[in-house]
Amino acid sequence: MSASTPGSRVDDELKTRPTVDGQPTKNSLQGHLLWVVVQRSVGLVLSVGISLILVRALETAEFGYLSVGLALVSLATSAATLSTPFQIKLLTDHIDHRPHVYSSTGAVVAGASSASLITLAVLMTARSWPGQTATLTMVLAFGVCVLPLRLMESELQADLRGADLARMRWTGQGLVAVLLAVAWRTDQPTVVFAAVLVVGQIAQALVLLVLVGSGPRVKLAAASPTFTEVLRPAFPTLVNAVAITIYLRLDQVMLGAMSTGTEAGEYAAAVRLSELSYVIPVSVTFAVSSTLTAARKTGTFDELLESLLASFAAFAALTILVGVLLGPTIVAVVFGSGHEKAGQILQVHVLASAFVFIGTGSSIWVVNEHRESARMVATVLGAIINGAANFALIPLFGGLGAAWATVGSYAIASVGFNMIPKSTRALFRTQLNAFLPWYWPRGLTNFYRMVKQ
């Protein structure tokens, strides 16, 4: 009997996973995942466009307060998504009792909504944000809409309907962009812009209700895993996802609490541009992950991983070069004049892309070597360091301090931590080699071959 490989194990596992009309779902699963990646990539671009309208239409302080409120919603949403894999499992196992599944997971939504409400109320009381009560209340309404919507999206996830999920998201974002542009041109108050975000969520909910009533349902084969078997391997990944959300949004919340709305607005504008480059590693990693996993059979996995990380390092170096040299110019072109501080923040924040690129590519190694628990510890540690560094640096340097805190925490979580556990030191050496420029030509050559394949 031939030895089991990660690639063969995946194929064997898919035979016991969901089926559509009795057929194995390997192609359905791949198509679903592809649509999810495309949706997230296009969604990130659309979110930058929405931010562009908001920055140009609102005063910097108003945009800052709005960004702080939305960051709180993102943190609450990340807590709600902890239940998503479990809910997908329940929805698939109990296809005729889905309303009961929704009611059983409603406590997560209630808890996350309550947490966001309390936090927002505390910040509004402590900071006495001038004239922002109506706007932030509307943001809270946005959160009340988005949390149940994210849980209901599990219906499409459970049925492997990534295309429908993309259509739903793009419908909402497209409508929001159009309505924001109209509000901008008609010089509406800030609360109207916040209300538009709520309308976008309602539109997504209506599209979701239509989609849920149509399309195929997925039923698990007889040899389906138990709930406990799903919970155990999923937990590190779930915690990792929540910690990453903390990275991306905690700094904005802390800026709003410890600094001014203007400082938070400049930071939020810069971060939107910096995060745009993250589409590259996420999309490419998904595209080549199956190729690298299959390379374990031929013993070329390590070489291809080195090439991938070296290529990512080269792309990150180019991104950093453009951001550092042209950051203020890019901000002025995209968001208009008067945002000099945002340009300075972008010059610092873009440095984090080196560790984001390398960390994203390294996820292939983490999955194939089954080191999800180590990855979880690293990410949680980075989130704690991020919060502590923000607490120390924001009073001294404002948005620039938050940017440096982000860069440092990314460096520790994505690379630095890997030199501590013995189980991840091999990855740490590979990551260090990726940062050496003389590895880049060979890495880019092999990268081209992988993408072509």
Side-chain angles (χ1 to χ4, degrees):
M1 181 181 294
S2 60
S4 175
T5 64
S8 64
R9 286 200 301 269
V10 170
D11 288 338
D12 292 339
E13 184 181 1
L14 284 170
K15 295 176 183 177
T16 63
R17 290 298 178 88
T19 60
V20 180
D21 297 329
Q23 299 299 318
T25 63
K26 182 173 183 178
N27 292 335
S28 299
L29 178 60
Q30 291 173 341
H32 168 73
L33 293 175
L34 177 60
W35 270 107
V36 170
V37 172
V38 172
Q39 177 267 311
R40 290 180 179 177
S41 300
V42 175
L44 182 57
V45 175
L46 289 174
S47 68
V48 172
I50 291 172
S51 297
L52 186 154
I53 297 175
L54 290 173
V55 171
R56 286 183 171 270
L58 304 177
E59 296 291 336
T60 304
E62 293 176 336
F63 175 68
Y65 293 131
L66 187 60
S67 297
V68 170
L70 294 176
L72 280 170
V73 172
S74 294
L75 292 175
T77 303
S78 69
T81 55
L82 274 171
S83 70
T84 299
F86 316 140
Q87 186 171 358
I88 291 175
K89 167 67 174 166
L90 293 171
L91 288 172
T92 310
D93 282 346
H94 306 283
I95 195 170
D96 297 324
H97 303 282
R98 291 189 169 183
H100 297 286
V101 175
Y102 286 124
S103 62
S104 66
T105 54
V108 179
V109 177
S113 300
S114 299
S116 61
L117 171 62
I118 293 172
T119 305
L120 189 57
V122 170
L123 286 176
M124 291 171 61
T125 303
R127 296 296 300 171
S128 300
W129 288 336
Q132 299 300 317
T133 301
T135 298
L136 294 177
T137 301
M138 194 62 67
V139 168
L140 183 61
F142 169 82
V144 171
C145 293
V146 73
L147 291 172
L149 182 61
R150 290 295 172 264
L151 288 180
M152 288 186 65
E153 286 175 0
S154 303
E155 185 97 3
L156 300 181
Q157 297 273 17
D159 292 335
L160 302 179
R161 296 166 63 187
D164 287 338
L165 182 66
R167 294 187 186 101
M168 183 201 69
R169 291 283 187 90
W170 293 342
T171 297
Q173 288 182 306
L175 179 62
V176 166
V178 172
L179 293 179
L180 286 179
V182 173
W184 175 23
R185 291 304 182 185
T186 56
D187 196 24
Q188 298 296 321
T190 309
V191 68
V192 173
F193 290 87
V196 167
L197 300 179
V198 178
V199 171
Q201 295 303 307
I202 295 175
Q204 289 189 42
L206 293 176
V207 173
L208 178 61
L209 290 175
V210 174
L211 293 175
V212 165
S214 62
R217 290 288 179 89
V218 172
K219 293 185 179 180
L220 282 178
S224 62
T226 65
F227 186 81
T228 303
E229 290 171 339
V230 173
L231 172 61
R232 188 179 298 112
F235 182 74
T237 303
L238 296 173
V239 175
N240 199 45
V242 174
I244 289 174
T245 304
I246 293 175
Y247 278 123
L248 297 177
R249 298 294 173 254
L250 181 62
D251 44 10
Q252 296 181 38
V253 175
M254 294 186 70
L255 266 174
M258 302 174 66
S259 187
T260 63
T262 300
E263 196 75 18
E266 298 282 13
Y267 184 84
V271 168
R272 295 292 187 276
L273 293 177
S274 180
E275 293 177 356
L276 187 60
S277 65
Y278 300 172
V279 172
I280 298 174
V282 171
S283 302
V284 172
T285 297
F286 171 80
V288 304
S289 58
S290 59
T291 300
L292 265 73
T293 298
R296 297 183 72 88
K297 300 178 182 179
T298 59
T300 58
F301 175 82
D302 292 337
E303 179 183 356
L304 291 180
L305 179 64
E306 291 176 357
S307 298
L308 176 66
L309 296 187
S311 301
F312 277 179
F315 291 142
L318 178 61
T319 302
I320 291 172
L321 184 65
V322 172
V324 170
L325 295 181
L326 302 177
T329 303
I330 294 173
V331 169
V333 170
V334 175
F335 295 131
S337 59
H339 297 284
E340 291 78 10
K341 186 64 176 291
Q344 298 172 11
I345 294 172
L346 177 59
Q347 288 176 309
V348 174
H349 196 279
V350 75
L351 299 176
S353 62
F355 308 106
V356 173
F357 275 56
I358 295 296
T360 303
S362 300
S363 63
I364 299 177
W365 182 93
V366 171
V367 171
N368 278 275
E369 297 295 333
H370 306 289
R371 304 300 181 190
E372 290 87 354
S373 295
R375 179 74 271 161
M376 178 192 71
V377 174
T379 306
V380 172
L381 176 63
I384 294 173
I385 292 174
N386 180 267
N390 274 312
F391 186 79
L393 296 177
I394 287 177
L396 299 176
F397 307 106
L400 284 173
W404 281 114
T406 297
V407 174
S409 57
Y410 271 138
I412 293 172
S414 299
V415 179
F417 174 84
N418 292 327
M419 70 178 176
I420 300 175
K422 185 177 180 180
S423 60
T424 58
R425 287 175 189 168
L427 175 62
F428 178 69
R429 289 190 292 269
T430 302
Q431 290 176 323
L432 288 185
N433 289 337
F435 286 114
L436 302 177
W438 49 86
Y439 281 95
W440 296 353
R442 185 183 69 177
L444 290 169
T445 301
N446 290 334
F447 170 77
Y448 171 76
R449 292 173 181 169
M450 278 190 289
V451 173
K452 185 177 180 180
Q453 181 179 353

